[in-house]
Amino acid sequence: MTIALADTPVVLVNGARQTGKTTLVQKVAAEKQPSAYFSLDDAATLSAVRADPTGFLAALDGLVVIDEVQKAPGLLSALKVAVDRDRRPGRFLLTGSADVLMLPEVSESLAGRMEILTLWPFSQGEIEGKEDCLLELLFEDRLDLTGLEDAEIARQWVDRVIRGGFPEVVRREDQQRRQAWLASYLTAILQRDIRDLANIEGLTEVPRLLSLLAARVGYLLNKAELSRATQLPYTTLKRYLSLLELTFLVQPLPAWSGNLGKRLTRSPKMHLCDSALTAHLNGLTEDGLGRRPELKGPLLENFAVMELRKQASWCKRHVSLFHYRTHTNQEVDIVLEDRAGTIVGIEVKATATLGKRAFKGLEALAHDAGDRFLRGIVLYTGGNPLTFTPKHHALPLSVLWQATPQKRDVS
């Protein structure tokens, strides 16, 4: 964030509620003087901003921090005028609990004037106090597997998946208190944020739709089938899905294909922003997961996708995430592609034992990607890294939070 403020007039930190955005920007404001902090969750401040956004900004100097900017879209045009008059970097620091790339009034008003940073719930490495970046390790010419063996840590995956990464949930040791927080969190977003964004009352079907998506996490999005299952008109369903995505609750994972045009026509897979939310919506606790083994694989996949998505937001290598599926139902849970077009495939398996069949989808991906394919990885719940072929490896799930810069050094 400090780097972005050094050369960009407006920096926006967005992400789901309760991921630490306010705490982060308040800390930055305290370190930069003069500065002023305003929250649009405050009714009086919001009223003043909506009444006269230009006058509100004109009276301010130094770094201006505005929390929950999506509540006052009219402020964005005033920000554009203020920035065009004075292009000094680091003038405005904004936060938003809605994806501004899906709000036309934001993206159009501040195009070329604003850098957008996304703040996700804590990664497992952040919880451990480590600088985790498995993505860097996976794109090395030679895969360094030293220091990644830890069967004891690997066995903790159930607790990690159920706990997720929301700071408030991570801090709570009692399962019932965690569940109480998650229930309140969902109620607040579904009954307040989504209602405000939609600008209509009701939306009684959105909670049911979210629960249905949680039960089908990791599956291809079939809007026609969802429309039938929820008895929602197709156009209404599309709008509700957009609202869930807008508030970061639902995250689509697009399809990968060697033909760029095909990526636009194949269905995405759907994941939730946090595995604790996914488990909560499915009624799962650490004890209950063992009684519903059919959910282990999808829940673990959701966990791995979001861990890698978080790492992609700070690792130096620019990596995009996709999934892969053929017409013959060969599939790979996660496809990583860097800017050079290099491909790494990742399968996620909720098992401690593996055979060669675990690599079938990765072999199909390797065939389609050709020389661009670097390696295929199976993340599993065993404790040791295994090499099946020079390009196919199995790694413990714990590599997601154990792969630090020190472990990435290649001699």
Side-chain angles (χ1 to χ4, degrees):
M1 183 190 301
T2 303
I3 295 174
L5 285 170
D7 59 16
T8 309
V10 183
V11 174
L12 178 121
V13 181
N14 66 2
R17 280 194 177 270
Q18 297 296 317
T19 55
K21 299 186 299 296
T22 299
T23 301
L24 180 60
V25 298
Q26 285 180 335
K27 180 179 179 181
V28 172
E31 294 172 351
K32 289 184 177 292
Q33 297 298 327
S35 66
Y37 169 83
F38 302 93
S39 173
L40 299 191
D41 275 336
D42 177 75
T45 302
L46 179 59
S47 178
V49 170
R50 285 177 171 173
D52 185 10
T54 301
F56 175 81
L57 294 177
L60 302 174
D61 191 20
L63 174 66
V64 178
V65 181
I66 303 174
D67 217 348
E68 301 299 343
V69 71
Q70 79 279 352
K71 289 178 172 288
L75 180 62
L76 303 168
S77 296
L79 280 169
K80 175 183 181 295
V81 173
V83 169
D84 287 346
R85 287 175 178 170
D86 183 351
R87 299 282 301 203
R88 283 178 299 150
R91 293 190 62 200
F92 299 101
L93 178 57
L94 316 175
T95 79
S97 296
D99 188 347
V100 299
L101 296 178
M102 297 178 67
L103 294 170
E105 60 266 41
V106 180
S107 55
E108 292 174 6
S109 296
L110 293 171
R113 304 167 181 85
M114 177 174 69
E115 182 167 341
I116 301 172
L117 308 174
T118 302
L119 190 65
W120 300 105
F122 285 151
S123 73
Q124 296 304 303
E126 287 176 310
I127 294 171
E128 295 290 325
K130 297 178 179 179
E131 185 184 348
D132 49 343
C133 197
L134 175 62
L135 296 179
E136 294 286 353
L137 172 73
L138 295 180
F139 280 89
E140 294 284 357
D141 291 335
R142 182 173 68 86
L143 186 63
D144 183 4
L145 302 179
T146 59
L148 299 179
E149 306 90 344
D150 197 328
E152 188 60 36
I153 290 180
R155 284 196 291 269
Q156 297 174 3
W157 73 269
V158 173
D159 173 70
R160 289 181 182 274
V161 170
I162 297 295
R163 179 179 56 177
F166 280 108
E168 190 63 36
V169 176
V170 170
R171 282 194 290 266
R172 298 189 179 195
E173 294 297 329
D174 184 77
Q175 283 191 42
Q176 289 186 342
R177 297 306 304 150
R178 290 178 180 175
Q179 296 301 313
W181 186 91
L182 290 166
S184 297
Y185 177 82
L186 286 169
T187 298
I189 292 181
L190 295 173
Q191 299 300 325
R192 183 183 67 178
D193 290 8
I194 288 183
R195 183 193 62 206
D196 291 346
L197 287 167
N199 199 29
I200 58 174
E201 297 294 334
L203 295 175
T204 56
E205 297 301 321
V206 175
R208 188 162 68 93
L209 173 61
L210 182 60
S211 295
L212 188 59
L213 290 171
R216 303 181 183 191
V217 72
Y219 286 79
L220 292 179
L221 176 62
N222 186 329
K223 292 179 182 177
E225 194 277 330
L226 268 179
S227 177
R228 290 191 296 271
T230 57
Q231 296 184 331
L232 287 171
Y234 189 79
T235 54
T236 302
L237 174 72
K238 287 178 62 178
R239 186 182 184 205
Y240 287 1
L241 286 172
S242 294
L243 288 168
L244 291 173
E245 188 177 344
L246 186 64
T247 50
F248 292 90
L249 288 177
V250 169
Q251 291 298 308
L253 186 67
W256 180 90
S257 168
N259 181 330
L260 292 177
K262 290 184 179 179
R263 296 186 194 178
L264 302 177
T265 59
R266 294 183 177 179
S267 297
K269 294 174 74 171
M270 302 301 290
H271 301 92
L272 270 62
C273 70
D274 187 76
S275 57
L277 279 180
T278 310
H280 174 78
L281 285 163
N282 281 298
L284 296 176
T285 62
E286 294 172 35
D287 300 330
L289 187 57
R291 293 191 290 273
R292 298 186 65 184
E294 75 280 2
L295 290 178
K296 282 186 177 181
L299 191 58
L300 192 61
E301 178 187 329
N302 196 130
F303 173 80
V305 167
M306 289 310 304
E307 288 299 300
L308 291 170
R309 197 185 291 274
K310 295 168 193 175
Q311 293 182 20
S313 69
W314 63 66
C315 286
K316 292 181 179 179
R317 185 184 298 269
H318 184 277
V319 176
S320 299
L321 277 69
F322 305 92
H323 77 90
Y324 170 81
R325 188 184 183 98
T326 70
H327 293 299
T328 57
N329 293 326
Q330 295 287 353
E331 60 182 322
V332 175
D333 295 328
I334 308 165
V335 177
L336 307 175
E337 183 177 16
D338 70 4
R339 282 179 170 165
T342 305
I343 298 296
V344 173
I346 299 178
E347 271 285 276
V348 184
K349 301 292 186 184
T351 179
T353 58
L354 294 174
K356 290 185 178 181
R357 289 183 58 84
F359 294 89
K360 287 293 185 181
L362 291 166
E363 290 170 356
L365 174 63
H367 179 269
D368 275 3
D371 293 341
R372 299 165 58 192
F373 184 82
L374 179 60
R375 61 176 53 93
I377 302 294
V378 174
L379 294 178
Y380 78 124
T381 57
N384 296 297
L386 304 170
T387 296
F388 284 74
T389 74
K391 286 195 172 186
H392 291 106
H393 308 270
L395 299 180
L397 184 71
S398 54
V399 74
L400 285 168
W401 58 91
Q402 283 186 298
T404 64
Q406 292 75 25
K407 290 186 174 68
R408 295 199 304 269
D409 290 340
V410 178
S411 57

